[in-house]
């Protein structure tokens, strides 16, 4: 099994061309946020090949990150569309208030201005949680379920994540997720809605994860 243990921060033209070919052959990883939080896990490419990821603890894998192994082989990570809660508001202040209350509970949040948004011009996204959704509705925000690639904000003090954009192919955030590897998504998750979230995730669609 191929083991990818380094995250590339820059790509040569040759490597970009190689990624285009691999994408066309379904030779890439389609991973949801839960799996991308791990530094060590086993995964299945879209084409069905088992690979291993064994990275230093250098932050969450992001969509379009590229990994390389000792043999110089590449593997690109694509953020998988997943079920999330979308939050919009009638004005910026109300949306900011909702972001504060979610952040106060250490909820991973994605801020977005490119998807369909509400009157405030922006939207928040978080992993589904009916307690949090009810809290936001009580504050007057608009809640709906949707499916998008989930790329929450990283910590403001985190740098050097090696996030690589601008590859010469277009795949991205409209992936229909129609491949045969689609299985049920299972969370083993303990939520404490005070000031702490304890995340212990297991990702069924891409196999076992065993982050140490």
């Amino acid at each position: 099994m191929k083991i990818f243990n380094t995250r590339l921060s820059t790509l040569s033209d040759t490597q970009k061309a190689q990624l285009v070919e691999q994408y066309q052959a379904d030779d890439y990883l389609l991973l949801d946020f839960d799996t991308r939080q791990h530094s060590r896990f086993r995964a299945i490419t879209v084409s069905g090949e088992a690979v291993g990821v064994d990275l230093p603890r250098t932050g969450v894998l992001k969509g379009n990150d590229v990994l390389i192994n000792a043999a110089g082989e590449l593997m690109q990570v694509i953020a998988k569309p997943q079920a999330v809660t979308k939050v919009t508001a009638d004005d910026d202040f109300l949306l900011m208030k909702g972001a504060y209350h979610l952040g106060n509970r250490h909820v991973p949040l994605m801020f977005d201005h490119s998807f369909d948004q509400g009157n405030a011009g922006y939207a928040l996204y978080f992993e589904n949680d009916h307690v949090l959704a009810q809290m936001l509705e009580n504050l007057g925000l608009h809640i709906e379920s949707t499916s998008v690639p989930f790329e929450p904000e990283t910590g403001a003090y985190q740098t050097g994540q090696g996030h690589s954009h601008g590859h010469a192919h277009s795949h991205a955030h409209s992936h229909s997720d129609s491949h045969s590897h689609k299985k049920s998504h299972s969370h083993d998750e303990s939520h404490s809605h005070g000031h702490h979230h304890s995340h212990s995730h297991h990702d069924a669609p891409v196999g076992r994860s065993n982050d140490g």
Side-chain angles (χ1 to χ4, degrees), residues 51-123:
V51 300
V53 174
D54 187 2
L55 297 171
R57 294 180 179 273
T58 54
V60 174
L61 280 168
K62 294 182 178 293
N64 289 339
D65 275 353
V66 177
L67 310 178
I68 189 170
N69 63 10
E73 297 170 300
L74 303 179
M75 182 59 60
Q76 187 167 27
V77 173
I78 306 297
K80 179 182 180 180
Q82 63 186 84
V84 293
T85 298
K86 175 182 175 182
V87 186
T88 55
D90 294 330
D91 58 72
D92 293 337
F93 178 79
L94 189 57
L95 192 65
M96 183 172 61
K97 187 176 180 181
Y100 167 80
H101 284 286
L102 290 170
N104 197 41
R105 289 159 175 78
H106 306 289
V107 178
L109 275 181
M110 181 172 75
F111 299 80
D112 197 81
H113 193 46
S114 61
F115 296 111
D116 183 30
Q117 62 274 350
N119 294 336
Y122 297 91

Side-chain angles (χ1 to χ4, degrees), residues 11 21 24 27 48 60 78 99 115 129 140 143 145 150 155 165 197:
L11 295 170
E21 293 180 3
Q24 293 171 345
D27 186 15
V60 174
I78 306 297
F115 296 111
D129 186 306
I143 303 299
S145 296
F150 187 53
H165 282 294
H197 257 241

Side-chain angles (χ1 to χ4, degrees), residues 14-15 48-49 70 99 115 130 138 150 162 165 171 173 184 192 210:
T14 299
Q15 288 172 326
E49 179 184 3
F115 296 111
H130 71 279
N138 292 341
F150 187 53
H165 282 294
H171 47 255
H173 299 175
S184 62
S192 177
N210 56 352

Side-chain angles (χ1 to χ4, degrees), residues 30-32 35 43-45 80 177 181-186 202-208:
L30 186 64
L31 306 177
D32 65 10
T35 303
I44 307 295
T45 66
K80 179 182 180 180
D177 193 28
H181 67 284
K182 186 176 182 181
K183 299 178 183 177
S184 62
H185 182 62
S186 173
H202 300 276
D203 183 71
V206 296
R208 300 187 303 275

